[in-house]
Amino acid sequence: MPLSAASDRDAHQRDPQPGLPKATFNFRCIGCGSMASNAAQDFRCSQCNNLLEITDPSWNSSGPSASALKSMWRERRSSNATLDLSGVWRFRELLPMPESEQHVVSLREGNTPLYELPQSSRSTGVPHLYAKHQGMNPTGSFKDTGMTVASTFARQAGYRWVACASTGNTSASMAAYAARGGMRSVVLVPEGKISWSKLSQALDYGALTCQLRTDFDGCLRLLQELVRRAPVYQLNSINPFRLEGQKTLAFELLEQLDWQPPDHIIVPGGNLGNSSAIGKALLEMRDVGLVSRLPRLSVIQAEGANALVRTLREAGGKRLVRVQAETRATAIRIGNPASWEKAVKVIQATGGACEQVSEVEIAQAKAEIGAEGIGCEPASAVTLAGLKKFVRSGFVKPDESVVLVLTGNLLKDPDFTMEFHRGDLFSGTGHQRDSDFLSSLRHPPVVLDATLEAVIQTLERAEKSDPTHTNA
Ligand code: F0G
């Protein structure tokens, strides 16, 4: 078959090119702990079928000291070398390295801003509140930080095709990195359940885009079968190289906070790769001595896609409670999260928590983050909604510092935003009544005659209706 002729299925087993440093990392099973220097196509343990993670002895004992790492990473911010310009590869001492720099596929990902949130700070009563905006990555989501690493290893392995199942952002990111790396990409997305802007990104970056008549969980199941049958390299977060790249969010965040850990990091949960990656990074940073204290890592899900919440509450984190997922935050419309066990481990290791929020709470929080002049997609807004619940329950105390991880850009889901501001978001749903109070956050467009008088009258009406609004 022409596909297999152009790929190398045993690529992780190859020796490096002569003269280049040999990779020192290994794959470790998160279930039985068995170690291997290579991984099968499905990235599952050959003994017990559980997920793999990447480890490297040089990340603690034999590597550079914490203070050497801190100054090296800071110095690289003024360098114009390709690897240093990436907010992922800048932290390469704690990442798996390819055999050659030539394999690296980068779009200068990472280096995302850490914003203060003054209005949300006041409304939640948490003075030290920040947003780490991963929506400011090249394709508009946090996926890029993982994709640069995983697509690099796909390219090094000589794959012609890469593939993923996606609720939209992974497919957009994978398609972009495949295009940059000279590979072809195939995406499996649930038909009618991903936003147009994410779908349009995949099309523009040249992906073979398959809209399947199923949900995300159905797409991911099919992908698992596909990678066993065809020589395509899977770029879902089951691929542990993805999580390695996504670790850098935590490195960069701590650097931005001058290595003073916040008390809490709050992240949305879908397939649970990102929370697992951030948690892994926190634990590794502690082992290396980069931080002396761990922030609590907490995960927020939509009520209609609350598999992890139920797994922890009903099964003590010991077995996955699957759900039939439904939420307008389509990025996290996932009922059978692949990385649930990794997420449970890091939540427990850091003393974090897991909470769920309603559709109305998500819409409100998204509008409030928009009103900060930042904006994000609905899935990211669960973090602010979850924070409010944590403050009410006392899990977050007013004197504690909190970082919300905003995973996707506002422009990722314009339909949601337009429907919210026009007042149609909850039309025909059971939430219509309880969402009435959101009207003060709505800013619908007004259609006017093209006269100065009409514009001035509208301006005056707006001023009267909100005389207290200040820029402070
Ligand atoms: N936020 C956004 C914007 C996402 O796109 C996703 C996941 C998540 C949060 C949840 O992250 O899965 O690591 O727990 N999107 C995936 C996708 C599933 O296909 O784009 P997670």
Side-chain angles (χ1 to χ4, degrees):
M1 160 164 122
L3 271 176
S4 58
S7 77
D8 176 351
R9 302 184 69 169
D10 297 323
H12 291 301
Q13 300 174 23
R14 287 189 315 185
D15 286 334
Q17 297 160 28
L20 290 164
K22 189 169 165 51
T24 54
F25 63 86
N26 280 302
F27 298 92
R28 179 172 58 202
C29 172
I30 62 156
C32 68
S34 63
M35 302 278 277
S37 57
N38 52 65
Q41 196 91 342
D42 60 0
F43 291 108
R44 288 197 174 265
C45 174
S46 56
Q47 315 284 315
C48 72
N49 207 37
N50 212 324
L51 295 183
L52 303 177
E53 64 181 2
I54 290 174
T55 62
D56 191 320
S58 76
W59 293 345
N60 40 48
S61 47
S62 56
S65 70
S67 61
L69 287 173
K70 286 178 190 174
S71 54
M72 191 154 46
W73 292 344
R74 187 162 285 276
E75 264 169 41
R76 285 182 186 152
R77 292 171 69 175
S78 56
S79 154
N80 279 330
T82 309
L83 287 190
D84 297 346
L85 285 169
S86 161
V88 170
W89 296 104
R90 191 158 69 78
F91 300 101
R92 53 190 170 273
E93 284 71 22
L94 298 188
L95 298 178
M97 282 305 287
E99 292 155 7
S100 158
E101 231 186 280
Q102 306 305 316
H103 296 308
V104 172
V105 187
S106 172
L107 285 164
R108 298 191 190 168
E109 50 290 317
N111 295 320
T112 57
L114 182 67
Y115 294 119
E116 287 175 347
L117 295 175
Q119 297 180 41
S120 303
S121 214
R122 277 197 292 275
S123 63
T124 55
V126 176
H128 304 290
L129 177 60
Y130 305 91
K132 176 72 175 152
H133 207 328
Q134 296 299 91
M136 300 300 181
N137 269 293
T139 75
S141 85
F142 72 97
K143 306 286 181 181
D144 296 344
T145 57
M147 211 52 82
T148 181
V149 176
S151 62
T152 291
F153 281 90
R155 188 198 218 182
Q156 168 172 302
Y159 278 86
R160 178 168 149 73
W161 284 90
V162 293
C164 72
S166 181
T167 56
N169 280 326
T170 301
S171 52
S173 179
M174 181 189 75
Y177 281 82
R180 294 296 292 185
M183 294 172 284
R184 298 208 59 195
S185 61
V186 53
V187 308
L188 309 182
V189 292
E191 205 249 326
K193 295 294 179 187
I194 82 167
S195 83
W196 286 112
S197 47
K198 297 175 189 179
L199 191 65
S200 64
Q201 284 182 286
L203 304 183
D204 230 34
Y205 301 137
L208 171 61
T209 303
C210 306
Q211 296 181 272
L212 304 185
R213 291 188 200 93
T214 179
D215 54 12
F216 169 82
D217 301 304
C219 292
L220 190 57
R221 232 180 354 258
L222 214 134
L223 179 76
Q224 302 310 302
E225 290 169 27
L226 179 69
V227 297
R228 279 186 215 112
R229 288 272 295 280
V232 297
Y233 187 84
Q234 87 152 304
L235 282 175
N236 272 96
S237 54
I238 291 172
N239 180 325
F241 290 108
R242 281 268 315 276
L243 302 200
E244 290 305 303
Q246 288 173 210
K247 287 190 320 192
T248 57
L249 176 152
F251 304 154
E252 189 175 273
L253 169 66
L254 265 293
E255 188 183 59
Q256 286 166 319
L257 294 172
D258 293 325
W259 302 101
Q260 297 303 313
D263 296 301
H264 295 270
I265 298 177
I266 301 180
V267 62
N271 213 18
L272 301 174
N274 204 28
S275 38
S276 304
I278 296 169
K280 186 172 189 281
L282 295 174
L283 298 172
E284 286 172 4
M285 276 194 279
R286 184 192 54 187
D287 292 348
V288 179
L290 286 162
V291 291
S292 53
R293 174 173 76 75
L294 287 177
R296 293 179 194 272
L297 179 67
S298 295
V299 175
I300 314 294
Q301 297 195 297
E303 273 177 7
N306 60 352
L308 182 66
V309 175
R310 293 190 55 185
T311 293
L312 287 163
R313 289 184 190 168
E314 295 166 26
K318 300 232 176 329
R319 68 178 165 82
L320 174 66
V321 178
R322 293 185 183 84
V323 300
Q324 189 66 45
E326 194 49 85
T327 171
R328 279 298 303 264
T330 52
I332 50 173
R333 190 174 176 275
I334 295 171
N336 184 16
S339 293
W340 69 273
E341 231 176 310
K342 290 185 177 180
V344 167
K345 281 186 186 172
V346 295
I347 291 172
Q348 290 176 343
T350 63
C354 187
E355 188 49 273
Q356 59 186 1
V357 292
S358 72
E359 296 295 298
V360 174
E361 288 169 326
I362 295 171
Q364 179 184 5
K366 181 175 132 38
E368 288 167 350
I369 294 168
E372 300 267 10
I374 296 175
C376 65
E377 68 165 286
S380 309
V382 300
T383 53
L384 177 59
L387 170 64
K388 293 179 195 174
K389 285 186 119 170
F390 283 151
V391 171
R392 282 202 295 276
S393 71
F395 178 67
V396 171
K397 309 202 172 38
D399 58 341
E400 291 183 320
S401 54
V402 179
V403 175
L404 308 179
V405 177
L406 302 183
T407 44
N409 195 286
L410 169 68
L411 300 175
K412 285 286 193 172
D413 197 344
D415 283 350
F416 184 107
T417 310
M418 288 306 294
E419 285 178 37
F420 175 84
H421 287 288
R422 288 195 170 126
D424 311 332
L425 188 62
F426 296 115
S427 299
T429 74
H431 305 299
Q432 183 77 56
R433 275 265 204 78
D434 41 313
S435 64
D436 280 351
F437 78 99
L438 297 177
S439 60
S440 63
L441 290 165
R442 292 196 186 113
H443 306 288
V446 282
V447 180
L448 302 173
D449 288 334
T451 65
L452 182 59
E453 199 177 312
V455 175
I456 287 178
Q457 274 174 7
T458 308
L459 203 57
E460 284 169 354
R461 259 201 308 276
E463 176 61 20
K464 266 194 215 125
S465 70
D466 191 8
T468 57
H469 190 104
T470 67
N471 291 328

